[in-house]
Amino acid sequence: MNVILFGPPGCGKGTQARRLEDRFNTIQLSTGDMLRAEVASGSEIGRKAKAVMDAGHLVPDGVMIAMIANRIDQPDCKNGFLLDGFPRTTAQARALDEMLAEQGLRLDHVIEITIDAAVLAERLAGRFNCARCGAVYHDKFQRPKVDGVCDVCGSSTGFTRRVDDKADTVKARLKAYDEQTAPLLPYYQAREVLRRVDGMGSIDEVTRQLEAILEQA
Ligand code: AP5
């Protein structure tokens, strides 16, 4: 099952993808996480991407397309994948179609997590991640069960906040989404693969809506 989770920064793509992986024996492919790993490793891609990401802009298509082409070729993608953060431009969407066609794969669903723009700033301002496994938390909506300890990996080594979750950068990221990524929705609607879930409910409620769609696949 190959699925795109679609929606603006902070709508819940990463949170939901991580919850769905085990249940559907699939794998989350987060281009944001891949880029942050490149930045952390100090690679050439990471050095070039860092300034772009910190400004809230999109990393060039060529870099992203090569990254995903290489990733979906790996053995752990054989049962399918949940794309989180890709495609983000028309060029990326077309390249994904070509990659899938070359491998005889199909896109089962593109699921847009819809959300009121007014709540995104609060979602992103309160986000923090486990420094060890990357699990996503929120100051108000998703606190660890035990303060200072990650629910997922049990680490108490600390939590981090993303540099690009600062208010000014969030504005630039939302602009990039509106101008370059949201225009992809009609592309997928025309192919009759686009589904929508209401991202305004609780995290559990959104998971239930997604599960209902994926169970039909
Ligand atoms: P990326 O990491 O992909 O960021 P994004 O798309 O902006 O999405 P986020 O990770 O910010 O949000 P999310 O929807 O996953 O929300 P989350 O689940 O964390 O990309 C970062 C940068 O990398 C880009 O700006 C760009 O520079 C570059 N990049 C990446 N991919 C690229 C590409 N393909 N092309 C070019 N450039 C690329 O949830 C947010 C918070 O809300 C969390 O704290 C969570 O706990 C909370 N929350 C989630 N759901 C709920 C809920 N239902 N109720 C209450 N709280 C909730």
Side-chain angles (χ1 to χ4, degrees), residues 33-209:
D33 286 348
M34 291 176 205
L35 286 167
R36 284 183 284 280
E38 295 283 350
V39 171
S41 75
S43 70
E44 192 184 341
I45 288 178
R47 282 198 301 277
K48 286 185 181 155
K50 186 177 183 330
V52 179
M53 294 168 77
D54 288 355
H57 300 147
L58 295 186
V59 173
D61 285 333
V63 174
M64 302 314 304
I65 290 166
M67 193 175 271
I68 282 293
N70 176 52
R71 189 64 189 82
I72 64 173
D73 226 14
Q74 305 296 315
D76 61 351
C77 290
K78 71 177 186 327
N79 290 323
F81 42 80
L82 291 165
L83 283 166
D84 159 13
F86 187 95
R88 269 170 139 104
T89 64
T90 306
Q92 292 180 19
R94 293 206 171 115
L96 177 65
D97 285 345
E98 285 167 22
M99 284 175 223
L100 294 175
E102 272 168 24
Q103 299 200 20
L105 301 172
R106 67 174 187 155
L107 196 54
D108 296 284
H109 295 295
V110 177
I111 309 177
E112 181 191 9
I113 304 178
T114 63
I115 188 154
D116 296 351
V119 307
L120 293 175
E122 185 184 23
R123 292 256 185 112
L124 295 172
R127 171 166 57 189
F128 59 100
N129 297 81
C130 171
R132 184 161 147 214
C133 74
V136 189
Y137 295 96
H138 193 279
D139 291 328
K140 191 162 143 192
F141 304 122
Q142 196 185 12
R143 297 199 58 82
K145 292 187 183 87
V146 177
D147 267 351
V149 181
C150 176
D151 297 346
V152 178
C153 72
S155 163
S156 54
T157 51
F159 295 87
T160 57
R161 290 189 189 257
R162 278 171 47 176
V163 178
D164 62 347
D165 279 346
K166 288 186 190 133
D168 281 354
T169 315
V170 166
K171 269 191 209 153
R173 288 164 60 200
L174 292 173
K175 187 165 182 280
Y177 178 80
D178 289 342
E179 291 177 357
Q180 293 169 271
T181 307
L184 290 179
L185 289 167
Y187 177 80
Y188 288 115
Q189 187 141 30
R191 290 172 46 184
E192 300 184 353
V193 286
L194 183 65
R195 307 288 299 269
R196 291 193 167 90
V197 300
D198 178 6
M200 293 295 287
S202 70
I203 293 173
D204 285 345
E205 284 163 0
V206 178
T207 305
R208 281 195 286 275
Q209 294 177 64

